[in-house]
Amino acid sequence: MTTTTPSRGRRRAPTRIERAAGRAAALQKPRVILAALLLLALTSVMLLDGYLRAEVGGDQRVRTGASSSEVPDAVLDGGPILTFRGGRATTVSVPDKTIALTFDDGPNPTWTPQVLAVLEKYDVPGTFFLVGSMVSRYPGTVRNLVRQGNEVGIHTFTHVDLSYQSSARVHREITQTQLALAGAAGITTTLFRAPYSSETDAIDNYSWPVYQELGEEGYTSVFVDTDSDDWKRPGVSKIVRWATPEDGEGASVLFHDAGGERSQTIAALPEYIEKMKAKGYTFTTVSGALEEQRGGARAVGGTGRLQAAHRPATGVTLYEGKALVAAVAVAEWTVPALSVGLMVVGVAVMGRFAMMLVLARRHHRQRNRRRFSWGPPVTRPVSVIVPAYNEKECIANTLESLARSTHPIEVVVVDDGSTDGTSQIARAAADRLGMRNVRIVRQENAGKPAALNNGVRSARHDIVVMMDGDTVFEPDTVRQLVQPFADPRVGAVAGNAKVGNRDTLIGAWQHIEYVMGFNLDRRMYDLLRCMPTIPGAIGAFRREAVLEAGGMSEDTLAEDTDITIALHRAGWQVVYQEHARAWTEAPGSLKQLWSQRYRWCYGTMQALWKHRKSLTDKGPSGRFGRVGMPLVVLFQVVTPVFAPLIDVFTVYSMVFVDFRAALLAWLAVLGVQLLCAAYAFRLDREKYRYLLMMPLQQLAYRQMMYLVLIHSCVTALTGGRLRWQKLKRTGEVGTPSGVSS
């Protein structure tokens, strides 16, 4: 056993890696904030869209048959226009031989423009009581409506029965609609009509306080004398007849320009207008009728009029309104786009599951046939390289597992500047175990790639096995791992990494991920001959292949993915050996898990970008570029980035669409994943009881992995670097004989 020590001298200057790490650390907080803001923006857009489309809260209650004992008789029996002056309620009727055409539930991009075309043709004004959510979605229609000289009123923001709502909700419904009008047409209005309350006899003891409160704020509540009931679609003749008042009487008449199919309304309007004009009627707006009854000038048709009920929106109201309309426009574009993305992601995810199941089964049957062989057994000694940085808790267990190896090995422990006595502990463990085949090489701290390269240079044999300093091998692991090298075309072999500390919740989640997400994937990639990564915990390489590729590169954080792709491009085959098992200590806390996965995700992106030219490689060495690169980008970057859409839309659908259908769809996806996981556990001969953790994993652990990936994408886009991060270890993963599968 030999030891190489670094030279001593004055305090050294920071290395390039350490300087880059310092810069990266300074940039991490802004990147986390940026990623959080992106998620917040997406959530806000979804909530806004759901609020606009589904009337958040799902309050569809409509009050009927309530007492009106507290409502003044003068109001119940009075005209359709209700005002409050000095706290006193006053009703006003439409003048004789006058029609105030009113329309509810708009705007609608299909029917409202057709209604406007009819009104413009006959030079007739209308008063449109608009739903604020629709105003914010179709601001252009509202602008045209106002520009044509029509009048607008408030019909709440989400079309709820206000008699059931709190005072705060009522105020919010009115304020939001005013903001929508300000953003769409630059105006506010003093007219109001409550949903489900067309005539004054609909006022009851519950809704009367609402009208009083709004009246004190200066709003004029508008009802109708005559209801066309066009929403029932009874036919054009009935709509015209029902909308016609008694001869000579004035009337506030109700039609609808939204809320359903309105072709009968469009057909009835010209006939109705012609009929009423033939009887000597004139048409006005609600404010025009009100002004005439008060002795003022009556407002009639004419483009560009400023209606008396309108007020120019100014100051904060105007800018908040424009912001609301802009936000809704973003939501209107974003949500459909995300819906399309969801379909693509869903197909990709299901396709991946199907591909993994089919190819994994084929791989298992192929590699476990009795006559399957890589060639003559590989029995020559190999070098096992163990890079170690502050591994005092684990290094003794690692060496103890290697001492039981059934294959001849030499062990090269590369101490990467440890400060916790790792090399001394390793030396003592080797002496205690009688391992004369252990060499300890010490170097100044330079990172894991440098430690591995030092180990490769120091290795005495042509096959090198690389493992982490927190990993333990089973006695037969090395022998199983090196057998594929009987095929001279094989340049590297990936082993089967297992989670040793799986008895905790976080450990169990990672155990499921390793068995299903990693090993099932490796079977698929192995069969397709485009393995993207040799795991750092257990992998074997031809020494000459590593040296020809330039060794482990420091260009990326995922040196294992980097070297694997480099070997593919050099023409070597990379295979998976499922029977070579290694037990590793997975991160024990969420913070450590985030740190590890962040490095993995970001490093993989770096490696893919570094080897982007593999897409144009020709011949056998170009197979990874033709097959592996697209699959890795699709399954490990693109699909996971958009996979949160499945959960986001599930929650969105549960709240705003159909809770039961959304829940069933989510359970169906979970069932497919559970099926894949169960098959993966069967192939690896794992106990199924850990799958009980899977539903919770989908709700919690998977969300964290989404955030890690998004964080990595933001880092990649902003150009940051990270160093080889050391995770806190406990040494709880002992020798394989103490680990139960």
Side-chain angles (χ1 to χ4, degrees):
M1 179 173 61
T2 61
T3 301
T4 302
T5 59
S7 60
R8 301 182 182 273
R10 292 184 301 177
R11 183 178 180 180
R12 64 179 177 86
T15 65
R16 177 176 61 85
I17 294 177
E18 291 170 333
R19 290 194 299 271
R23 292 193 298 270
L27 291 172
Q28 290 314 302
K29 188 173 182 179
R31 291 186 181 120
V32 172
I33 293 175
L34 178 58
L37 289 176
L38 290 174
L39 288 175
L40 178 61
L42 176 61
T43 302
S44 299
V45 166
M46 299 291 291
L47 288 174
L48 177 59
D49 186 78
Y51 183 71
L52 295 174
R53 294 176 183 273
E55 301 176 10
V56 68
D59 193 346
Q60 302 294 325
R61 294 174 295 176
V62 179
R63 194 184 300 278
T64 58
S67 172
S68 58
S69 60
E70 299 177 9
V71 185
D73 292 338
V75 172
L76 295 174
D77 300 330
I81 305 174
L82 175 62
T83 63
F84 288 80
R85 288 189 175 182
R88 180 181 177 183
T90 303
T91 61
V92 179
S93 299
V94 177
D96 292 341
K97 286 284 186 175
T98 303
I99 296 294
L101 276 180
T102 68
F103 299 87
D104 280 6
D105 297 346
N108 179 278
T110 300
W111 306 113
T112 303
Q114 296 183 51
V115 170
L116 293 177
V118 173
L119 298 183
E120 184 176 31
K121 177 181 177 181
Y122 290 95
D123 194 23
V124 169
T127 301
F128 292 78
F129 290 91
L130 306 177
V131 178
S133 60
M134 303 295 286
V135 172
S136 60
R137 291 174 64 189
Y138 307 111
T141 303
V142 179
R143 283 193 292 270
N144 293 336
L145 186 153
V146 173
R147 190 182 300 119
Q148 187 174 307
N150 298 289
E151 192 168 52
V152 299
I154 292 174
H155 201 44
T156 72
F157 194 82
T158 58
H159 203 274
V160 292
D161 187 339
L162 295 182
S163 67
Y164 283 104
Q165 311 307 320
S166 65
S167 178
R169 174 69 182 271
V170 171
H171 180 75
R172 187 167 65 250
E173 291 281 333
I174 302 300
T175 302
Q176 289 173 343
T177 306
Q178 292 283 32
L179 288 177
L181 287 173
I187 63 169
T188 59
T189 183
T190 59
L191 299 183
F192 167 75
R193 175 177 286 164
Y196 314 109
S197 301
S198 59
E199 299 179 1
T200 55
D201 61 5
I203 304 176
D204 55 37
N205 294 343
Y206 297 96
S207 60
W208 177 238
V210 175
Y211 293 110
Q212 288 179 304
E213 181 179 350
L214 293 178
E216 291 172 0
E217 295 177 5
Y219 286 97
T220 297
S221 296
V222 182
F223 299 86
V224 301
D225 297 296
T226 306
D227 190 344
S228 69
D229 279 340
D230 58 340
W231 61 274
K232 297 179 180 178
R233 302 181 64 195
V236 172
S237 61
K238 287 185 178 181
I239 291 175
V240 173
R241 184 169 71 253
W242 292 345
T244 303
E246 296 293 333
D247 286 343
E249 293 184 0
S252 170
V253 182
L254 175 60
F255 287 87
H256 293 81
D257 64 318
E261 206 275 343
R262 293 289 170 255
S263 59
Q264 291 187 6
T265 302
I266 303 303
L269 268 177
E271 184 176 330
Y272 177 74
I273 293 172
E274 291 175 357
K275 174 183 177 180
M276 300 313 296
K277 283 189 173 183
K279 289 186 174 185
Y281 276 79
T282 58
F283 291 83
T284 186
T285 59
V286 169
S287 60
L290 186 60
E291 288 297 317
E292 183 177 353
Q293 290 289 49
R294 290 175 176 174
R298 178 169 52 183
V300 291
T303 302
R305 293 185 315 276
L306 178 62
Q307 298 294 341
H310 295 172
R311 302 287 185 272
T314 58
V316 175
T317 300
L318 178 61
Y319 290 110
E320 287 184 350
K322 290 184 179 295
L324 172 62
V325 171
V328 172
V330 172
E332 287 285 295
W333 174 86
T334 302
V335 174
L338 291 177
S339 299
V340 174
L342 174 63
M343 294 180 61
V344 174
V345 170
V347 171
V349 170
M350 292 297 108
R352 181 193 180 195
F353 286 152
M355 184 182 297
M356 284 196 307
L357 286 176
V358 172
L359 295 183
R361 175 176 173 79
R362 182 178 175 186
H363 179 276
H364 177 74
R365 297 180 69 177
Q366 181 185 92
R367 295 295 170 82
N368 289 274
R369 290 181 303 185
R370 290 184 178 181
R371 290 180 292 179
F372 176 79
S373 173
W374 295 101
V378 176
T379 58
R380 61 187 183 276
V382 300
S383 298
V384 179
I385 301 171
V386 185
Y389 173 67
N390 288 346
E391 297 286 2
K392 67 176 183 179
E393 296 88 357
C394 307
I395 193 65
N397 288 339
T398 299
L399 292 178
E400 184 176 348
S401 72
L402 293 175
R404 300 181 179 183
S405 176
T406 60
H407 193 91
I409 60 173
E410 72 153 347
V411 181
V412 181
V413 178
V414 183
D415 184 351
D416 185 40
S418 297
T419 58
D420 65 348
T422 294
S423 58
Q424 290 83 356
I425 296 174
R427 184 183 302 111
D431 290 342
R432 174 173 55 82
L433 296 168
M435 298 177 68
R436 300 186 179 278
N437 57 342
V438 176
R439 287 186 292 143
I440 299 177
V441 179
R442 299 183 62 193
Q443 65 177 36
E444 290 187 349
N445 181 252
K448 185 177 181 180
L452 290 172
N453 287 333
N454 200 349
V456 171
R457 289 191 298 269
S458 303
R460 294 170 177 167
H461 303 294
D462 65 327
I463 296 176
V464 293
V465 174
M466 298 181 185
M467 66 184 299
D468 289 337
D470 58 3
T471 301
V472 296
F473 280 2
E474 295 179 357
D476 205 37
T477 294
V478 174
R479 186 186 69 82
Q480 292 281 1
L481 188 63
V482 300
Q483 294 312 306
F485 289 109
D487 186 340
R489 297 170 299 177
V490 173
V493 181
N496 188 346
K498 317 286 287 184
V499 174
N501 54 330
R502 59 181 66 177
D503 292 332
T504 64
L505 182 62
I506 297 177
W509 286 345
Q510 293 175 84
H511 173 48
I512 296 172
E513 182 184 28
Y514 271 60
V515 175
M516 177 184 175
F518 297 160
N519 292 333
L520 209 59
D521 264 355
R522 289 194 179 101
R523 294 176 188 275
M524 176 183 72
Y525 285 122
D526 187 12
L527 209 59
L528 295 175
R529 293 186 288 119
C530 57
M531 182 80 62
T533 303
I534 301 293
I538 175 170
F541 301 82
R542 289 192 190 273
R543 185 171 180 270
E544 62 171 310
V546 175
L547 295 176
E548 287 176 4
M552 297 292 179
S553 174
E554 297 182 5
D555 295 339
T556 74
L557 295 173
E559 72 286 334
D560 44 8
T561 300
D562 192 347
I563 188 64
T564 304
I565 298 176
L567 293 179
H568 277 295
R569 300 186 68 187
W572 294 98
Q573 288 187 15
V574 180
V575 301
Y576 174 57
Q577 177 58 290
E578 62 183 279
H579 301 296
R581 291 182 290 268
W583 300 85
T584 186
E585 182 177 339
S589 69
L590 293 178
K591 182 178 179 180
Q592 293 181 32
L593 179 62
W594 181 289
S595 179
Q596 182 195 69
R597 298 311 170 85
Y598 180 33
R599 180 175 63 84
W600 285 5
C601 291
Y602 184 40
T604 299
M605 293 178 189
Q606 288 178 310
L608 294 176
W609 180 253
K610 176 181 177 180
H611 294 282
R612 60 190 180 278
K613 292 185 178 179
S614 65
L615 293 169
T616 59
D617 289 345
K618 307 296 182 181
S621 61
R623 181 171 181 80
F624 180 82
R626 294 191 301 270
V627 181
M629 178 73 80
L631 288 178
V632 173
V633 171
L634 178 62
F635 291 151
Q636 295 188 25
V637 180
V638 177
T639 300
V641 164
F642 290 98
L645 290 177
I646 297 175
D647 297 321
V648 170
F649 269 84
T650 297
V651 176
Y652 174 86
S653 300
M654 286 180 175
V655 175
F656 299 114
V657 185
D658 187 326
F659 178 86
R660 182 179 179 183
L663 180 61
L664 290 175
W666 185 82
L667 291 175
V669 174
L670 177 62
V672 173
Q673 292 176 310
L674 195 59
L675 177 64
C676 290
Y679 186 65
F681 270 58
R682 177 187 174 188
L683 294 182
D684 270 21
R685 298 181 180 179
E686 294 285 354
K687 292 182 178 179
Y688 294 115
R689 62 185 176 89
Y690 290 101
L691 295 179
L692 295 175
M693 301 287 188
M694 195 165 180
L696 186 58
Q697 184 201 44
Q698 299 300 301
L699 292 173
Y701 181 81
R702 192 173 67 172
Q703 315 309 318
M704 179 179 176
M705 294 301 102
Y706 292 157
L707 295 176
V708 169
L709 185 58
I710 292 172
H711 189 188
S712 302
C713 290
V714 172
T715 303
L717 292 173
T718 54
R721 285 183 60 89
L722 296 173
R723 63 189 176 94
W724 179 33
Q725 297 160 322
K726 175 70 176 73
L727 300 179
K728 183 179 179 181
R729 301 302 186 185
T730 64
E732 60 183 299
V733 179
T735 56
S737 59
V739 180
S740 173
S741 63

